[in-house]
Amino acid sequence: MRHNSHKYAGVPLDNPIFNRRAARNDISKAQLAVRSQQLAVTQTVQAKYEFVFRRRFPISTAGSRCNSENGRF
């Protein structure tokens, strides 16, 4: 009797490890998430600056600081 020692195992190429489109999509999603977080940080910093500026220079006192002769602060 002869034994068949040559057995084959197949691996499909549509496996996510080899799928270039999925890898590109993941990279694009990660880059978008990074940019989204950067925008959120920028908006938070801007809101803090606006808050501090408004507390320091209220709108109601801006008119009293204006020089009526030349219209400058």
Side-chain angles (χ1 to χ4, degrees):
M1 247 190 238
R2 190 172 169 187
H3 296 285
N4 190 3
S5 63
H6 300 286
K7 297 192 181 202
Y8 298 98
V11 176
L13 293 179
D14 62 344
N15 198 351
I17 296 172
F18 301 109
N19 192 347
R20 293 180 73 194
R21 188 181 322 146
R24 286 181 186 167
N25 286 342
D26 290 343
I27 290 170
S28 296
K29 287 178 185 178
Q31 289 173 339
L32 183 61
V34 168
R35 292 187 65 147
S36 178
Q37 288 298 318
Q38 289 173 340
L39 179 61
V41 168
T42 302
Q43 289 174 338
T44 303
V45 169
Q46 184 179 6
K48 287 182 180 181
Y49 278 123
E50 287 178 6
F51 177 76
V52 169
F53 183 78
R54 287 182 182 160
R55 288 194 74 207
R56 195 167 190 189
F57 303 109
I59 295 173
S60 61
T61 61
S64 64
R65 295 179 55 198
C66 179
N67 187 349
S68 60
E69 294 176 7
N70 55 13
R72 295 183 184 171
F73 287 97

